[in-house]
Amino acid sequence: MSIDLLLGLQWGDEGKGKIVDVLTTNYDIIARFQGGPNAGHTLKFDGFSHVLHTIPSGIFHPTALNLIGNGVVIDPVIFQTEIEKLAPFNIDFPNKLLISKKAHLILPTHRLLDAASEASKGKAKIGSTLKGIGPTYMDKTGRNGIRVGDILLPDWKERYENLKTKHLKMLDFYEGKIEFELSILEDAFFSAIDELKKLPFVDSEHLLHTALKEGKKVLAEGAQGSLLDIDFGTYPFVTSSTTTAAGACTGLGIAPNTIGEVFGIFKAYATRVGSGPFPTELFDEAGETMGRVGMEFGATTGRSRRCGWIDLVALKYAIRVNGVTQLMMMKGDVLSGFETIKVCTSYKTTEGSIEHLPFSIEPEHVTAEYIELAGWKEDLTAMTAEDQFPKEFNDYIAYLEKELETPIKIVSVGPDRKQTIFR
Ligand code: IMP
């Protein structure tokens, strides 16, 4: 009786969606446990490319059940668009997609508050996706939020109005920072709520407990990455949920001793979108090449991602915080053509060189220290087995495995399902 977890180990955009899609054939249920439409999980197969925001990445497989857990925050308007975009696939939604009654709703005013708060911060802005994530989780922990199950209750509109009134007063505080036409946003919101109601709302923790008891296999799908975790990320430049393994327990209602494997996904280099420290960030041609070859643009916002070398100090930290048992390395193909590959192994601080993640990794506190490995020229994207890899790429994998003390079980060499090599 166990549930496996799949998590990003960097700043998100590691390729979780692709790997969930690849692994779904081994599972009965795919359950998303945190985040919301700030996520953009890109899946490529049969010549199509799809971006999912709230819907779990197992949705394209015929048998798996997909569950949106209580830890997720849902924007009904974005969710409705997501469902509409999947129309060509004739997915039997009411039988394939379930929503926890305890998941919280993103209201139009949550989005406005996100935008106003960011606009007021100037240079200190988080670089939020502006999907209303922070304000919604604030209302959740502040015990003011509205949950999916609430919309079936007779007094829900009254509760909506009360919360909206409070939000409008809060928006007064940011006077002039944003312009909006709330009635238009509300029309879209309430019509999307009617669509949402067509899907089954469930007691998801009970559903999962029963499934696990019956021996069903469950994969918990994370969003964002460990370095964006509200506690363990580069605060305050983080998202507002627990993106690390503990978030699967609170976001699905599962017990720690039911967790089996913890799959940790990382890129062969590093990227970050939005503001915040990034010790291995590149501002030169190498970084520009990674961004161009890796097509590093946000799947949700279209923003260019900042690029840099892999950071083992941060990766080791993420592996420990999550209890990762297996690693999956993505986008090794993007590094083809570099003369040498740099790997950050420690940080220089005023107290000397350190190998653990300190309280602050802002540039005034740490500088990345590197070793260099030989690069490779060959294009990896058509390779289908490890023994086809150039020696230098296999050496890179072996070096990372040794340093991270965790086996790398999957190496991905391109965005398509088929470009996935199991080891
Ligand atoms: P928020 O979650 O939209 O409030 O954004 C907070 C920070 O997390 C910003 O720096 C975003 O760019 C980043 N972020 C949020 N979701 C994702 C994601 O799915 N991938 C990468 N970065 C993300």
Side-chain angles (χ1 to χ4, degrees), residues 41-99:
H41 292 170
T42 308
L43 284 69
K44 280 195 180 169
F45 56 90
D46 301 341
F48 293 103
S49 177
H50 308 277
V51 182
L52 297 171
H53 299 286
T54 325
I55 297 175
S57 303
I59 198 71
F60 295 105
H61 287 265
T63 52
L65 206 57
N66 290 265
L67 174 69
I68 298 176
N70 57 279
V72 177
V73 290
I74 302 173
D75 182 329
V77 180
I78 296 180
F79 186 72
Q80 185 184 355
T81 311
E82 221 178 317
I83 297 265
E84 283 165 5
K85 284 197 176 149
L86 290 171
F89 295 90
N90 294 319
I91 295 166
D92 179 11
F93 279 110
N95 286 309
K96 286 215 54 189
L97 183 59
L98 312 172
I99 304 177

Side-chain angles (χ1 to χ4, degrees), residues 11-13 38-40 114 126-131 133-134 224 228 237-240 272-275 303:
W11 281 287
D13 308 315
N38 48 349
D114 204 2
I126 308 290
S128 155
T129 59
L130 304 179
K131 303 293 176 204
I133 305 296
Q224 289 82 47
L228 289 173
F237 301 101
V238 293
T239 190
S240 299
R272 170 162 211 169
V273 60
S275 324
R303 291 179 290 178

Side-chain angles (χ1 to χ4, degrees), residues 323-362:
V324 171
T325 59
Q326 297 185 24
L327 289 166
M328 287 145 184
M329 186 171 91
M330 314 300 286
K331 292 191 144 182
D333 53 294
V334 174
L335 295 185
S336 290
F338 282 94
E339 206 61 47
T340 56
I341 307 290
K342 282 190 171 188
V343 178
C344 165
T345 51
S346 54
Y347 294 153
K348 190 170 140 201
T349 71
T350 48
E351 277 137 44
S353 191
I354 58 166
E355 289 182 17
H356 71 276
L357 206 86
F359 177 70
S360 164
I361 59 167
E362 291 287 351

Side-chain angles (χ1 to χ4, degrees), residues 116-126:
S117 160
E118 281 285 82
S120 74
K121 283 189 168 144
K123 268 184 153 180
K125 71 174 185 198
I126 308 290

Side-chain angles (χ1 to χ4, degrees), residues 8 31 37 45 53 59 120 154 157 177 234 293 311 320-321 334 352 403 406:
F45 56 90
H53 299 286
I59 198 71
S120 74
K157 288 248 168 84
K177 289 289 175 200
T234 48
V293 179
D311 180 344
R320 280 193 289 269
V321 168
V334 174
E403 285 296 310
T406 316

